[in-house]
């Protein structure tokens, strides 16, 4: 016999009637006795939390990272020790510019935010499906994003604004070349690579640090769509493809590779290794395969897991670290700050954000402090002492052996705002262009001309100059498409 489940209020009391409100007479107004109705309406009014300003439209799934190469010589992090070691992961893909209810098959960068639930805490690599980004300084980020969003008056997308920003910011040329190439619209989330994009770091038990770039190469193969093909796709097609593949056991996977640069190599390398608009050429720093990433479990509840997943590049574990990459430094602040705004100061206590290890600290209270933050820490850390240092035995203490090795500043490191206008903004975009087939070059020029054609004459002229500096043929092709 099945047990009957009764409808209840949020305080757990059974509800006798949920179809009709209480009114004064059959045709009369409602009364204050309707407190159950008030709870229903009030909760409904609060269903939405602030949408992410970027990466609002997301798609999440759980899975496993299997380490196939022992990295104990490079990193103290236990999830990188041994072979065949498995770590639970959560991966959230996203588009960047559109809101939560925008379409899937837009020409846009895709977010590739990965969380490793390691035994020593959560490690988040909050990357994209591109190895570089549009800007190298976080001071430019809000302006860049505003230029990609809808026009403040008409509330319509305005490609002319994209190019107006880019014409004054040639540091975007490399990323524009990727975005406008055939890879700008993946066929599905399974058919694209992921990249940590930033230069991150690892350090070992001897206090030696190396700089690291992470690459996640799709095992499904790269597949892309043209603008015309994308226009015929259903708005939710990428979400459907991901959920259905995992449901039927066709688990998408990625080969995990890293590039490694020593601190000494970094000092002598011709390219600034911390510039997010640049890659490290594979011929200089070959990819080393270290593992496999597999998605094998769909979320049970989209809001609780995918929407509330709070990735932050500041979530690190002993043995992995950040780097002087200026964009990364900005994100170390901005991501955790965004989550405090969207989800509250205790966002890391939500199930999808909880580490799989004990949490012991002296932080207490705040909005929505949860019970059982971790299996061991109890309700808001129960009655345990809430200040440090203290004289008690068995209270949380720092662990000096996990201190990150100190990072020297370059000599003559004057504190000021450094102007990077004279950086080489063109060579790597040109290298990518020259790698492309005839068909890819034509698609690239056509895709650019589509939006650039809406910009002013001055913006068009400056953009053609930028493309020409990447490669004269690149400039000529865009010019020809604009005129055609
Ligand atoms: P390689 O010839 O060793 O590698 C070229 C890389 O370009 C491959 O990783 C390939 O990815 C990728 N690629 C091919 N077409 C596109 C595209 N339309 N959009 C984005 N990536 C693409 O060259 P280098 O390492 O010397 O780099 C040359 C250029 O390749 C760079 O300037 C950069 O634009 C691009 N690139 C380089 C990467 C790096 O980390 N070095 C990473 C990604 C791109 P795949 O193997 O998956 O087909």
């Amino acid at each position: 016999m099945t047990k009957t489940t009764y409808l209840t209020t949020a305080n757990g009391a059974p509800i006798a009637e949920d179809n009709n409100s209480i009114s004064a007479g059959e045709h009369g107004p409602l009364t204050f006795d309707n407190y159950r109705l008030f709870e229903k309406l009030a909760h409904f009014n609060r269903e939405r939390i602030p949408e992410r300003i970027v990466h609002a439209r997301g798609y999440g799934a759980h899975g496993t990272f299997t380490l196939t190469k022992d990295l104990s010589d490079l990193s103290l992090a236990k999830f990188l020790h041994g072979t065949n070691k498995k770590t639970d992961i959560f991966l959230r893909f996203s588009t960047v510019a559109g809101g939560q209810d925008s379409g899937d098959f837009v020409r846009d960068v895709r977010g590739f935010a990965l969380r490793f639930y390691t035994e020593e805490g959560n490690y988040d690599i909050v990357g994209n499906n591109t190895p570089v980004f549009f800007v190298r300084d976080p001071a430019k980020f809000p302006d860049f994003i505003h230029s990609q969003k809808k026009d403040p008056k008409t509330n319509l997308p305005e490609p002319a604004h994209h190019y107006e920003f880019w014409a004054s910011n040639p540091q975007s040329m490399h990323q524009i070349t990727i975005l406008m190439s055939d890879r700008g619209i993946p066929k599905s989330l399974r058919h694209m690579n992921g990249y940590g994009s930033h230069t991150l770091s690892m350090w070992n038990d001897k206090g030696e640090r190396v700089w690291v770039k992470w690459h996640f190469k799709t095992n499904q193969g790269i597949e892309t769509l043209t603008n015309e093909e994308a226009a015929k796709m259903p708005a939710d097609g990428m979400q459907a493809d991901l959920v259905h593949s995992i449901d039927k056991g066709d688990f998408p996977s990625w080969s995990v590779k890293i590039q490694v640069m020593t601190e000494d190599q970094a000092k002598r390398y011709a390219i600034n290794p911390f510039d997010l608009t640049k890659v490290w050429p594979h011929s200089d720093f070959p990819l080393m395969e270290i593992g496999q990433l597999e998605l094998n479990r769909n979320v049970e509840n989209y809001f609780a897991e995918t929407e509330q997943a709070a990735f932050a590049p500041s979530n690190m574990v002993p043995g992995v670290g950040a780097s002087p990459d200026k964009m990364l430094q900005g994100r170390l602040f901005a991501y955790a700050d965004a989550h405090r705004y969207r989800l509250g100061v205790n966002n890391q206590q939500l199930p999808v954000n909880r580490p799989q290890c004990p949490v012991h600290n002296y932080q207490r209270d705040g909005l929505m402090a949860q019970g059982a933050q971790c299996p061991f820490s109890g309700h808001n850390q129960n009655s345990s002492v809430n200040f440090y240092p203290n004289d008690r035995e068995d209270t949380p203490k720092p662990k000096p052996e996990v201190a990150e090795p100190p990072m020297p500043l370059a000599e003559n490191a004057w504190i000021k705002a450094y102007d990077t206008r004279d950086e080489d903004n063109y060579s790597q975009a040109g290298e990518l262009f020259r790698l492309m087939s005839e068909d890819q070059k034509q698609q690239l020029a056509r895709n650019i001309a589509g939006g650039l054609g809406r910009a002013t004459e001055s913006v068009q002229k400056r953009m053609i100059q930028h493309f020409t500096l990447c490669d004269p043929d690149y400039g000529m092709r865009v010019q020809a498409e604009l005129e055609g």
Side-chain angles (χ1 to χ4, degrees), residues 131 174 181-183 193 215 217 279-282 428 432 435:
H174 195 180
S181 79
D182 52 331
R183 296 212 184 171
N193 293 338
H215 302 249
K217 295 272 195 176
V279 296
W280 300 351
H282 295 141
Q428 291 200 343
L432 178 60
L435 275 179

Side-chain angles (χ1 to χ4, degrees), residues 170-188:
Q171 61 189 268
S172 299
M173 295 311 292
H174 195 180
Q175 178 78 318
I176 295 170
T177 305
I178 296 175
L179 177 64
M180 296 298 161
S181 79
D182 52 331
R183 296 212 184 171
I185 312 180
K187 183 181 163 196
S188 86

Side-chain angles (χ1 to χ4, degrees), residues 236-262:
D236 295 307
M238 288 207 188
Q239 176 75 78
D241 174 84
L242 184 68
V243 173
H244 297 153
S245 320
I246 295 175
D247 267 352
K248 64 176 197 250
D250 179 9
F251 300 144
S253 66
W254 286 260
S255 297
V256 183
K257 306 190 179 195
I258 56 171
Q259 287 175 294
V260 175
M261 185 188 290
T262 65

Side-chain angles (χ1 to χ4, degrees), residues 163-296:
Y163 287 95
E164 193 175 336
F165 177 87
W166 289 332
S168 300
N169 288 282
Q171 61 189 268
S172 299
M173 295 311 292
H174 195 180
Q175 178 78 318
I176 295 170
T177 305
I178 296 175
L179 177 64
M180 296 298 161
S181 79
D182 52 331
R183 296 212 184 171
I185 312 180
K187 183 181 163 196
S188 86
L189 301 163
R190 299 179 296 121
H191 292 94
M192 62 183 204
N193 293 338
Y195 301 88
S197 308
H198 294 290
T199 296
L200 300 169
S201 60
M202 289 185 187
W203 42 277
N204 64 16
D205 53 1
K206 298 192 198 79
E208 297 158 340
R209 177 190 286 105
V210 287
W211 306 118
V212 177
K213 282 201 186 274
W214 289 72
H215 302 249
F216 307 92
K217 295 272 195 176
T218 172
N219 293 333
Q220 291 66 241
I222 298 271
E223 290 191 37
T224 61
L225 297 181
T226 62
N227 289 343
E228 295 71 28
E229 289 165 336
K232 295 186 199 130
M233 299 299 285
D236 295 307
M238 288 207 188
Q239 176 75 78
D241 174 84
L242 184 68
V243 173
H244 297 153
S245 320
I246 295 175
D247 267 352
K248 64 176 197 250
D250 179 9
F251 300 144
S253 66
W254 286 260
S255 297
V256 183
K257 306 190 179 195
I258 56 171
Q259 287 175 294
V260 175
M261 185 188 290
T262 65
E263 284 186 305
D264 211 41
Q265 284 172 315
K267 281 184 206 144
R268 290 180 277 107
Y269 196 42
I271 299 167
N272 170 8
F274 310 113
D275 179 346
L276 184 57
T277 68
K278 305 218 169 73
V279 296
W280 300 351
H282 295 141
S283 50
D284 292 344
F285 297 94
L287 295 177
M288 181 195 345
E289 179 151 341
I290 64 159
Q292 290 288 317
L293 197 69
E294 179 188 84
L295 294 180
N296 46 34

